[in-house]
Every structure is written in C-alpha cells, then in structure tokens.
Amino acid sequence: MSRARVHNFSVSLDGFGTGEGLSQDAPFGHAGERLHEWLFATRWWAPGGSGGVDDAFAAQHGVGIGAEIMGAGKFGYPGWHDDPGWKGWWGSDPPFHTPVFVLTHHRRPSIEMEGGTTFHFIDAPPAEALEAARQVAEGQDVRIGGGPTVVRDFLAAGLVDHAHIVVVPIVLGRGVRLWDGLEGLEERYAIESVVSPSGVVHYTFARRDQS
Amino acid sequence: MSRARVHNFSVSLDGFGTGEGLSQDAPFGHAGERLHEWLFATRWWAPGGSGGVDDAFAAQHGVGIGAEIMGAGKFGYPGWHDDPGWKGWWGSDPPFHTPVFVLTHHRRPSIEMEGGTTFHFIDAPPAEALEAARQVAEGQDVRIGGGPTVVRDFLAAGLVDHAHIVVVPIVLGRGVRLWDGLEGLEERYAIESVVSPSGVVHYTFARRDQS
C-alpha cells in the first residue's frame, strides 16, 4: 500500500509553520531559519552533524518515497509565477529525486531537473493530487511536503497516513498556522512524542485505521 | 525574593487553554476534562495515582506559594457576577489555602472560606495585582493561576518568573489561546521540555534575568 507521509515538518510552539513577510530573500519570513536549525544540525543534513534522535527522524524523509506534493508557497516566493525562469529554491539538483507535484492555479509546463526531480504543476484538490502522485510513485509512498496550508488541507481531508511534526520551542506570534481546522485530529491518530536534547519535540501521528 | 509562578497550566497542541462554550456545567467548554486528565491521574491529585514525572510537576503547585491571582473566568462561569451567592467551583474548602485575588470589573466584598482561602475581588492591571498579592503573601511566591488570558497577560507584561505549561496531544480547534501576542517569549526564558509516559509534554520557562 502506498502511504501519504509528512516528514520533518516544523512548527513553533504557537503552531506556525512559516512566519510572516515571505519573500525571495526570506523563504520563511520573520521565522528565518529558526524552525529548521534542529534539522541543519543533523548528520543527515550535513557531514559532522548529530547522530541522535533528530537525525533518526530526519533521515526518514526520503526512504520509500516515490513522489512529493508541495504547495505553491513552498516552491517559490510570492509572485514566482510571474517569473518564467523560476525553478525553485534548490538549484539544478533539488533534494527530491522524484516527481514533485506543485499545487498552483498558475499551471506551466513540467520542468525536468538533474538528479531525478521533475516539477509538475497542477491545479487539483488534495485527493486528486494524491492520486496523480501515486500514479507515478511506482508503488512507493507520497510525501506531503508542505507548507502549512498543504499539510493542513491533506490532514483535514483525511489523506495523511503518517505525519512527523516537530515543535520548536519558539513563539513566532504570526505567520501561517498548521493546526487550524483540525479539531479532533487525535481521534484518528495514535500520537507519540519524544523530546530531543536539541530542545525540539518530535510528534508522530500514525493513522489508527491503517491496514 | 518572591517569584510569580505558573503551574500545571494545560493547553492543547494547538494552544488552547480552554475550550468554547463555557458554562456552569462545562467549566472548560467543549474541552471537557481532556486538558487535565494527566493531572487527575497523579498521586498529588488523589490517592492511588501515578508517582512519576506528572506527579512531580503537579506537586509543585502549592509549594512556597503565599497567594494566587486568577481571572474572573477561572473563578466562575460566564455571568457568575450576577449571582451574589457564587463562591467559586471548589466547595467550602477550596484547594488554595491562601488569599486569592480574582481579577474582575465586578468587585464585591471579600469571601473568607474554610482552610485558609480568602477570595478578594480587584479590578487592577497585572503589575498592580501582583503587588497586592505580594503584600499578603508573607514573602512567599505568587501563583498566576489562569485562565489563559490571565497567564498570557502576565507573560506579556514580563511579570512571570517561572512557568510550567503542559501540552496535551489533542487538537481543540477553538477556545481561548495561550500563546497569542507572546512573540519572542523564548528570548526571555530558558526553556526545558520533557515527555511524560502519559503523553503530555511538560515545558518549563525559567526567566533568564532572574537573580
């Protein structure tokens, strides 16, 4: 069975998955890199990094993944669709190495990158996007890559089988919230949590009705 | 030095310290008892309860406390001030055993209860209320007892020395948020967290500039 999975999705203590004031120079707005410092400090991210619980969770990101779905706000800065040359933040060899479906009202031709990543641009509701991703995932899982609105929409639609959410002990105060509209989420998931020495709390949500 | 302390203050994963639809029959609205099940399961709360990390934190509630400050919404249901006989939720011997200052625009004469609790009703901003509480705390600490609006206001005013916040893995979706307006709180506090086997995460905030 191909599962839909969320990995390494970081929010602040007050539930913001990105800050305010997003731009080409500030992909996470006033949050800066603070939501992801725990990730950058892992061996998975870079040689010499930590090898503990943060690394163990981080490394699950790509295992068994055959496609990703991301929002327009993850793919580019506000207004990227007016830039025909924009190919994402990640250079010529993006760290996905699979087909990536970008959810956007501004469709454009697919872009084939180095290393196996191809960006497809689709305008579809969550269930339809997931179906499209599964068709190219070759039996593997589909990662729901974010941002917060996309993760929230897929959770609300009951389409996520496994979610790894990381709560960073900072209060952002403003930005885009992850948890809105997800009342009663705990009824559908077995939830575990563990504190890392880095100070973040890793939550995993495993769908109860999963076969 | 008399410190201002928050203890056993529970919020949902999405940051709500109480639910929606508060009434005399539902002090926490649609949240019911779900924010406090971890507390009710401790030995501190009742004989036969658990004796682990939840109990250790819970038991700090009264130690070294000489007065409490609480909001009108903790003292009574919406509309309690129209009921001259309302003396709080806690029966004839409330579990405070100190003077308690109720912040309300509807002042009334103090009520002396059994067991050392006296309710005083004052209409004052946070700093002034804290000063009043310290004057009767006999050198001991003052507990900021909640609800969420009161804890938030005292945190925002920089008046809290130590806070113990418990994050319960449920998504309430609606109610009163704790974290609003507290951007950058982490800059003023050393934050620790620990996961309990019960599933809640205990956060402690210790003020950095504290002597």
Side-chain angles (χ1 to χ4, degrees):
Chain A
M1 179 206 167
S2 165
R3 297 184 303 154
R5 293 159 39 191
V6 175
H7 285 285
N8 301 344
F9 192 78
S10 302
V11 299
S12 60
L13 205 43
D14 49 343
F16 293 101
T18 190
E20 209 175 65
L22 311 187
S23 72
Q24 194 164 0
D25 294 330
F28 289 87
H30 83 293
E33 298 192 335
R34 290 179 290 162
L35 289 174
H36 304 100
E37 282 166 0
W38 71 271
L39 185 67
F40 302 150
T42 63
R43 184 176 300 163
W44 177 75
W45 185 268
S50 67
V53 63
D54 290 345
D55 188 59
F57 275 110
Q60 293 191 305
H61 182 264
V63 178
I65 293 288
E68 164 154 334
I69 296 169
M70 68 169 64
K74 176 173 174 179
F75 181 70
Y77 59 95
W80 65 264
H81 52 261
D82 292 328
D83 175 0
W86 180 258
K87 297 178 179 180
W89 308 92
W90 304 277
S92 59
D93 182 6
F96 306 107
H97 315 300
T98 68
V100 172
F101 291 83
V102 180
L103 300 177
T104 173
H105 301 307
H106 302 273
R107 299 181 62 168
R108 58 173 63 181
S110 297
I111 307 173
E112 194 168 339
M113 309 292 289
E114 294 169 24
T117 299
T118 302
F119 292 115
H120 301 290
F121 301 85
I122 63 171
D123 187 1
E128 198 177 306
L130 184 56
E131 185 53 37
R134 282 193 166 130
Q135 280 178 15
V136 302
E138 298 180 339
Q140 297 201 88
D141 293 345
V142 175
R143 187 174 46 241
I144 311 302
T149 310
V150 168
V151 174
R152 186 207 304 150
D153 287 350
F154 277 75
L155 283 169
L159 295 171
V160 175
D161 298 296
H162 174 95
H164 167 231
I165 312 285
V166 184
V167 177
V168 180
I170 60 174
V171 179
L172 283 179
R174 53 209 162 93
V176 182
R177 292 185 197 272
L178 171 64
W179 302 116
D180 280 9
L182 297 179
E183 180 180 341
L185 189 68
E186 70 280 2
E187 294 165 17
R188 295 186 274 132
Y189 291 90
I191 305 174
E192 277 191 34
S193 53
V194 63
V195 174
S196 160
S198 70
V200 306
V201 179
H202 297 274
Y203 285 91
T204 50
F205 294 71
R207 194 145 84 163
R208 292 186 195 276
D209 62 359
Q210 194 173 302
S211 58
Chain B
M1 178 205 165
S2 164
R3 297 184 303 155
R5 294 159 38 192
V6 175
H7 285 285
N8 301 345
F9 192 79
S10 301
V11 299
S12 60
L13 206 42
D14 49 343
F16 292 101
T18 190
E20 209 175 65
L22 311 187
S23 72
Q24 193 165 358
D25 295 329
F28 288 88
H30 83 292
E33 297 192 337
R34 291 179 290 163
L35 289 173
H36 304 100
E37 283 166 0
W38 71 271
L39 186 67
F40 302 149
T42 62
R43 185 177 299 165
W44 176 76
W45 185 267
S50 68
V53 62
D54 290 345
D55 188 59
F57 276 110
Q60 293 191 305
H61 181 265
V63 179
I65 293 288
E68 163 154 334
I69 296 169
M70 67 169 64
K74 177 173 174 180
F75 181 70
Y77 59 96
W80 64 265
H81 52 262
D82 294 326
D83 175 359
W86 181 257
K87 296 178 178 178
W89 308 93
W90 303 279
S92 58
D93 182 6
F96 305 107
H97 314 300
T98 66
V100 173
F101 291 83
V102 179
L103 300 176
T104 173
H105 301 308
H106 302 273
R107 299 181 63 169
R108 59 172 63 183
S110 298
I111 308 174
E112 194 168 338
M113 309 292 289
E114 294 169 25
T117 298
T118 302
F119 293 115
H120 301 290
F121 301 86
I122 64 171
D123 187 1
E128 197 177 309
L130 184 56
E131 185 52 37
R134 281 193 167 130
Q135 280 179 15
V136 300
E138 300 180 336
Q140 297 202 87
D141 293 346
V142 174
R143 187 173 47 241
I144 310 302
T149 309
V150 167
V151 174
R152 185 207 305 148
D153 287 351
F154 277 75
L155 283 168
L159 295 171
V160 175
D161 298 296
H162 173 95
H164 166 230
I165 311 285
V166 184
V167 177
V168 180
I170 60 174
V171 179
L172 284 179
R174 53 211 161 92
V176 182
R177 293 185 196 273
L178 171 64
W179 303 115
D180 280 9
L182 298 179
E183 180 180 342
L185 189 68
E186 70 278 3
E187 294 164 17
R188 293 187 274 133
Y189 290 91
I191 304 175
E192 276 192 35
S193 53
V194 64
V195 174
S196 161
S198 71
V200 306
V201 179
H202 296 274
Y203 285 90
T204 49
F205 294 71
R207 195 144 83 164
R208 291 186 196 278
D209 61 1
Q210 193 173 304
S211 58

